Amino acid sequence: MRRDTAAGLTFLAFSLFFLIFGMELPMGTARRVGPGVLPVGAAALLLVLAVAILVQDYLRHSGRRIGGFNWRGLAAITASVLIFALAVHPLGMVVTVILSVLVAGAAEKPFRALESLLLGAGLSLAAVGVFIYGIGMRIPVWPNF
């Protein structure tokens, strides 16, 4: 299977899922929009994108084939999400974001520790600014020892 075909089919599956389940939510009116408008609208746009990708791939008859599966990337990203979920309260936002970015950076070959560390530092500052000071979430900034 070619990459564009896989991407188009994936987009198609997600769009149909959100269209089907989004239609169960009330749409509301033009003046008072309901909770179903956003998922259905986004799913409709994703459906158009999926069809465009599939048609373009069919007409082109070329493209790179999908190679082996990147287990290292899947493991690193999954571990990063789990680390964030489990460590954000005991370790605080700053340390947890930096740690999560470092673990996620291990998905890439070669692992670039300095770039991951700098990215983690920048993202942790942004996360503290937006989530803690911006919208007032009650998450510790630093570890609670």
Side-chain angles (χ1 to χ4, degrees):
M1 181 180 292
R2 294 187 299 262
R3 285 185 176 189
D4 287 345
T5 303
L9 291 174
T10 303
F11 288 172
L12 183 66
F14 276 106
S15 67
L16 291 176
F17 174 81
F18 284 104
L19 268 175
I20 290 168
F21 289 104
M23 293 298 283
E24 294 179 8
L25 297 171
M27 294 294 157
T29 63
R31 183 171 282 219
R32 192 171 183 94
V33 178
V37 172
L38 181 66
V40 170
L45 290 174
L46 189 60
L47 179 66
V48 170
L49 179 65
V51 170
I53 290 172
L54 289 170
V55 168
Q56 181 182 16
D57 185 51
Y58 177 75
L59 295 176
R60 197 172 36 187
H61 295 298
S62 66
R64 296 182 298 201
R65 302 203 54 84
I66 296 178
F69 191 76
N70 184 1
W71 291 105
R72 177 181 173 163
L74 177 65
I77 300 302
T78 303
S80 175
V81 171
L82 288 174
I83 285 170
F84 185 85
L86 297 173
V88 71
H89 286 286
L91 295 180
M93 181 70 87
V94 173
V95 174
T96 304
V97 169
I98 292 172
L99 185 62
S100 294
V101 171
L102 283 171
V103 171
E108 187 176 343
K109 289 183 188 177
F111 173 63
R112 295 179 230 168
L114 181 61
E115 288 181 15
S116 295
L117 188 62
L118 292 174
L119 177 63
L123 287 176
S124 67
L125 289 176
V128 167
V130 169
F131 295 110
I132 294 174
Y133 296 116
I135 62 174
M137 290 183 72
R138 293 183 178 209
I139 297 174
V141 177
W142 298 105
N144 294 330
F145 294 125

